[in-house]
Amino acid sequence: MNWLFLAQAETPEYNFWNGAPGSPALLTKVVIALLVGIGIMIALMFAPTRLRRPLVALATFVAGGFWMASTFWPTAPDAVTEGRNASEKVAIFLKDVTSVVADFSNVLTAFLLGLGIYSIVSVHGKRILKRQQDWSFSVVLFASIVLMAIFGYADWMDEQNRTAAVTALSPGFWNRGRDLLFDGMLQNMDAAMFSLIAFFILSAAYRAFRIRSVESTILLSTALIVMLSLMGVVVSAWDGLAGDFAGGNLKLSEISKFINSNLQTPGIQAVKFGLGIATLAMAMRIWLSLERGGLNS
Amino acid sequence: MQWKDTGWIQMVFLLGMIFMILLNIKRAKGTKELYIRRIAGLNAIDEAIGRSTEMGKPVLMVPGIGDLNAISIQALNIFAYVTRTAARFANPIRICIANPAVYTVAQEIISDVYQKEGLGDRYDPDSVRFVSDRQFAFAAGVSGIIHREQTAATFFLGEFFAESLIFAETANSIGAIQVASSTETTQTPFFIAACDYVLIGDEFYAASAYLSREPVLVGSLVGQDWCKIAVIGLIIGGFITNSIEQPKMLKDEESGKMRYLKREERLIYRIFHPEVDQEKEAK
């Protein structure tokens, strides 16, 4: 089987962190990385409990520090491949390593997705075995997972041997099957769920805009003005009636513009400022391991 | 980021904010006297769990559909508190997750909560579920769980997008008490329209400090308030300098006529965009 497709085809230049696809150097690096990874995992498993927290704190600090450095360290010009001074050398090192470190999270996510699938199998498998309510839907779920995996993988393998033009002219069995499952069913079901939002907006807006308090009355009035300002006929009639009275400020389009730029936008900006600062504080607590379990401590 | 050339003031401001947060964390250690204003949505947590205990129905929690980041960790922190309260009353819980990394962390946190409460036998590993990583498949799955299990209380806290209203309206249709918060400002109005209690903006991050009163968290909250004061100061400063510079006139080099200052010629703009001055020098 040709495993060369797994190589990093988008990285033409090789450094300490990668190598030419299929080369002995790359294989050696992969084996060393694997052994180091297994070694770290075994060391963590057998580490005394009191040592685990500092170790996790150290790993968090190093990982966070790396991303801080890769974000804030001044970058070297694109043309420079060999650092001319210490700053550029660090910049080039960070640039080389960033894609490798980013791959760490991809590899981890791939493993974790396996755990996610285990959860699905566990929940729905028990439901089928115990013949619980609606167990038949769980059977449909398993059938969907298996079918999608088979057709998706077979179509992808097929594509490796055929050009896009050939596939477009005469789609094979796997391609037709995959299109039916993905474009014909999954995409449409996604769209169906998305379209529900239109009806939910109506029912939620009805409840929110009922006049129950001063706040909901203000909400209703502003919403009404903004909604009316989006209707061309209403805007035209209103603006025509208001004319230049009060300096033209009573035109519906002007009132709506005022609400958007002087009430809505500053409100959203204020919320975003708060969120940004709070995220910074949270990130600092996690990075420096000050969070210590939060509400679970 | 070429901060030396283009944005040194942002870097200084960022470091200033980090300093204020860390200083207040240090200050707050050893004291629990700092005041936090009442947040209705967080007071409603116990009420919602109590109601679901009375009804014998599960409590549903969703930490959004985002990756494993500060937002999902904060949501799981709040869920740890909810779970602990639910565990004491032997109330079933359901945590539906769309991201495998968040799922793994959530399982650890929730299992830990039961162990620490000495109620390990009550922990059901299937109560923390990975539903799907596809947005609307996840929305359909969670809506199905809400309908089938008739959840009495729902907590939607985290990073939500278009699926927010589907969750909120589905839960509303079965009469569940809902506490919600989205870090996406575009989704907050949907939650406000459909849910009973909503944590707006940074109230979501204040939850840990509010519920635990832990000095580190409370100190961090005070530090955030200092940062907000600094931002407000900056806005007022910008407003004043711009107002002073607005009526200033200078002679245009090209036409020789008097004109008002352009936006990029004003002080505040130049401070935040030093590259403008450098480009001028280069010419």
Side-chain angles (χ1 to χ4, degrees):
Chain A
M1 187 177 283
N2 180 16
W3 289 102
L4 288 180
F5 61 83
L6 288 172
Q8 296 176 17
E10 291 175 5
T11 314
E13 290 167 18
Y14 303 113
N15 52 46
F16 175 77
W17 301 97
N18 50 29
S23 65
L26 180 68
L27 194 70
T28 315
K29 284 175 185 176
V30 168
V31 171
I32 291 171
L34 202 67
L35 289 175
V36 169
I38 291 169
I40 291 171
M41 270 200 276
I42 291 171
L44 270 177
M45 279 165 68
F46 288 99
T49 315
R50 66 174 191 286
L51 256 182
R52 281 186 196 167
R53 193 183 279 273
L55 279 174
V56 170
L58 181 71
T60 312
F61 184 78
V62 171
F66 173 79
W67 285 113
M68 285 271 282
S70 71
T71 307
F72 291 115
W73 196 269
T75 51
D78 288 339
V80 176
T81 50
E82 293 285 327
R84 293 167 296 185
N85 51 43
S87 171
E88 280 188 0
K89 278 177 184 161
V90 173
I92 288 166
F93 170 77
L94 288 171
K95 191 181 165 190
D96 287 344
V97 177
T98 300
S99 63
V100 179
V101 176
D103 283 344
F104 287 178
S105 60
N106 291 339
V107 172
L108 274 177
T109 306
F111 278 110
L112 296 173
L113 189 62
L115 285 174
I117 292 168
Y118 170 76
S119 165
I120 291 173
V121 172
S122 164
V123 170
H124 292 275
K126 278 179 199 164
R127 186 174 291 163
I128 293 170
L129 290 174
K130 293 178 182 172
R131 293 284 194 277
Q132 286 172 343
Q133 192 191 359
D134 298 330
W135 63 273
S136 53
F137 291 127
S138 299
V139 175
V140 175
L141 175 82
F142 279 127
S144 309
I145 291 175
V146 172
L147 274 177
M148 194 64 97
I150 290 172
F151 277 90
Y153 185 72
D155 178 47
W156 181 80
M157 287 298 284
D158 207 23
E159 268 180 22
Q160 304 303 308
N161 305 321
R162 291 148 62 101
T163 60
V166 172
T167 309
L169 279 173
S170 61
F173 170 74
W174 299 114
N175 188 256
R176 282 177 196 276
R178 181 240 169 233
D179 280 358
L180 176 73
L181 289 171
F182 190 79
D183 298 332
M185 294 177 79
L186 186 63
Q187 297 273 47
N188 292 330
M189 286 191 282
D190 266 358
M193 278 306 291
F194 190 42
S195 66
L196 281 179
I197 296 171
F199 302 100
F200 284 146
I201 286 176
L202 197 68
S203 62
Y206 170 71
R207 284 202 314 280
F209 293 160
R210 271 182 303 179
I211 299 176
R212 288 169 302 184
S213 59
V214 178
E215 288 91 343
S216 59
T217 314
I218 295 169
L219 189 67
L220 172 68
S221 320
T222 14
L224 193 68
I225 291 169
V226 174
M227 280 193 287
L228 290 176
S229 75
L230 297 171
M231 299 176 189
V233 178
V234 179
V235 174
S236 170
W238 184 314
D239 288 2
L241 278 175
D244 285 335
F245 184 71
N249 287 324
L250 289 183
K251 285 180 179 172
L252 193 58
S253 47
E254 289 301 318
I255 298 171
S256 167
K257 209 184 290 175
F258 176 81
I259 290 171
N260 279 326
S261 55
N262 294 295
L263 302 176
Q264 187 197 24
T265 308
I268 290 174
Q269 291 296 338
V271 170
K272 281 185 175 173
F273 264 124
L275 273 171
I277 293 167
T279 310
L280 175 71
M282 177 91 187
M284 290 308 298
R285 292 201 306 267
I286 293 175
W287 184 39
L288 301 174
S289 293
L290 295 168
E291 189 72 14
R292 302 225 179 262
L295 295 175
N296 195 26
S297 57
Chain B
M1 183 181 180
Q2 303 293 14
W3 51 270
K4 280 201 294 189
D5 302 332
T6 55
W8 60 269
I9 188 88
Q10 287 98 317
M11 181 66 93
V12 170
F13 201 71
L14 179 71
L15 290 173
M17 288 204 290
I18 291 171
F19 174 74
M20 283 191 269
I21 291 164
L22 294 179
L23 177 73
N24 277 288
I25 288 175
K26 193 169 165 47
R27 274 182 67 222
K29 276 184 181 172
T31 173
K32 290 197 175 186
E33 300 299 315
L34 296 166
Y35 168 77
I36 307 176
R37 72 172 169 83
R38 186 179 168 276
I39 301 174
L42 297 173
N43 287 344
I45 288 178
D46 291 340
E47 178 197 335
I49 299 168
R51 185 169 176 268
S52 61
T53 309
E54 282 170 13
M55 294 173 73
K57 302 282 186 189
V59 176
L60 178 89
M61 293 168 259
V62 183
I65 62 166
D67 292 333
L68 184 65
N69 52 26
I71 301 165
S72 49
I73 292 290
Q74 175 60 12
L76 292 178
N77 271 343
I78 303 171
F79 292 166
Y81 175 84
V82 174
T83 304
R84 192 190 303 140
T85 314
R88 285 173 187 163
F89 295 107
N91 213 42
I93 58 157
R94 300 281 178 271
I95 301 183
C96 296
I97 295 168
N99 182 286
V102 180
Y103 163 73
T104 321
V105 175
Q107 261 201 332
E108 285 299 314
I109 290 177
I110 300 305
S111 156
D112 205 33
V113 169
Y114 278 91
Q115 297 299 335
K116 278 188 178 165
E117 286 298 303
L119 301 166
D121 54 320
R122 287 187 188 166
Y123 172 61
D124 172 14
D126 289 343
S127 59
V128 183
R129 295 178 187 179
F130 173 76
V131 178
S132 170
D133 62 355
R134 206 174 160 85
Q135 185 182 19
F136 289 107
F138 181 68
V142 173
S143 301
I145 290 169
I146 292 170
H147 267 298
R148 278 194 302 277
E149 306 207 8
Q150 293 287 301
T151 52
T154 55
F155 295 89
F156 303 120
L157 306 171
E159 224 172 342
F160 289 90
F161 300 91
E163 73 289 345
S164 64
L165 197 61
I166 297 175
F167 295 156
E169 276 298 285
T170 310
N172 184 275
S173 71
I174 60 159
I177 287 192
Q178 298 183 76
V179 179
S181 175
S182 176
T183 50
E184 294 299 311
T185 47
T186 49
Q187 300 306 314
T188 306
F190 291 128
F191 276 149
I192 290 173
C195 297
D196 299 291
Y197 300 95
V198 180
L199 306 174
I200 299 175
D202 58 338
E203 281 180 348
F204 170 65
Y205 288 101
S208 310
Y210 188 85
L211 295 169
S212 71
R213 306 280 161 164
E214 202 186 308
V216 168
L217 303 176
V218 177
S220 165
L221 203 59
V222 175
Q224 286 166 232
D225 283 347
W226 281 28
C227 294
K228 282 184 206 166
I229 292 168
V231 170
I232 292 169
L234 204 66
I235 291 170
I236 293 172
F239 166 74
I240 291 170
T241 47
N242 264 342
S243 300
I244 291 169
E245 285 185 319
Q246 186 105 13
K248 271 189 186 171
M249 294 188 89
L250 54 77
K251 199 172 183 182
D252 192 82
E253 286 173 6
E254 288 175 12
S255 63
K257 290 179 183 171
M258 295 300 282
R259 64 165 175 82
Y260 290 112
L261 288 179
K262 289 177 187 167
R263 184 165 157 261
E264 59 270 18
E265 288 169 346
R266 292 181 192 161
L267 177 69
I268 287 290
Y269 188 91
R270 288 209 319 276
I271 287 176
F272 283 96
H273 299 85
E275 72 274 14
V276 174
D277 287 342
Q278 285 162 12
E279 281 166 15
K280 206 180 273 181
E281 278 170 23
K283 282 177 187 174

